[in-house]
Amino acid sequence: MPKTPSTLGLHLRYRIWIAEMNADITTLRIFDDYLAELAPGKKEAPLKNAVEEFKKQFNTLRKELDDLKHEMHLQKMKLAACTREGKPMDKKLYKTDNHAALKNHYTRFRKTFSKMKTGLGLISNNWAG
């Protein structure tokens, strides 16, 4: 059975993940600006379709990102309160707060975000100019 992380360790992990997601929000904004710049100059149906598909992906990813970040922020604040009160992290509290599921959700989000970035790179290489 894996070792239960410390309260401070979990708190710091959430801080890092939240900072990464803040960077992801900036990245999504830049990608959206890039698509807006790319689309008007090209009339090919495949490009228009790709741009529309990426815009849908951006909206979905942004909502997921906001929800995940919000949940992590709540957990981070709860962990900060536990630290102030001197409560140790035990297996029961770890399971009750569902940290493992939150970590899995974050891992899935990272994979999805990475695939989207790769796909966007492919369309930008095919239609750049």
Side-chain angles (χ1 to χ4, degrees):
M1 179 170 270
K3 180 183 167 205
T4 304
S6 71
T7 306
L8 181 58
L10 277 172
H11 183 266
L12 294 173
R13 180 189 305 168
Y14 286 133
R15 285 183 62 198
I16 288 171
W17 288 346
I18 290 167
E20 288 173 354
M21 288 186 286
N22 286 333
D24 294 341
I25 290 169
T26 300
T27 300
L28 282 173
R29 287 179 183 146
I30 293 167
F31 285 162
D32 194 49
D33 290 346
Y34 177 73
L35 287 179
E37 186 269 331
L38 181 66
K42 303 290 183 178
K43 301 297 181 200
E44 297 95 358
L47 176 61
K48 280 187 172 186
N49 293 340
V51 166
E52 288 306 312
E53 184 58 33
F54 274 105
K55 285 185 179 228
K56 287 177 190 173
Q57 283 183 26
F58 290 177
N59 289 334
T60 300
L61 281 170
R62 179 59 194 258
K63 178 167 179 6
E64 182 179 4
L65 197 152
D66 288 343
D67 292 345
L68 184 58
K69 193 172 109 174
H70 176 74
E71 183 61 32
M72 285 187 178
H73 181 72
L74 293 175
Q75 288 298 335
K76 179 182 73 108
M77 299 308 290
K78 190 174 183 180
L79 290 165
C82 286
T83 300
R84 278 191 305 274
E85 296 168 6
K87 288 184 185 175
M89 176 60 64
D90 59 15
K91 290 178 184 174
K92 182 180 176 187
L93 183 60
Y94 184 82
K95 286 182 181 181
T96 302
D97 287 344
N98 217 7
H99 295 288
L102 200 51
K103 179 180 178 182
N104 289 338
H105 187 180
Y106 180 74
T107 301
R108 285 191 313 274
F109 172 80
R110 291 262 45 102
K111 288 178 184 175
T112 303
F113 194 79
S114 180
K115 283 182 188 178
M116 182 273 309
K117 286 179 16 180
T118 300
L120 185 60
L122 292 175
I123 72 155
S124 67
N125 289 338
N126 288 333
W127 283 292

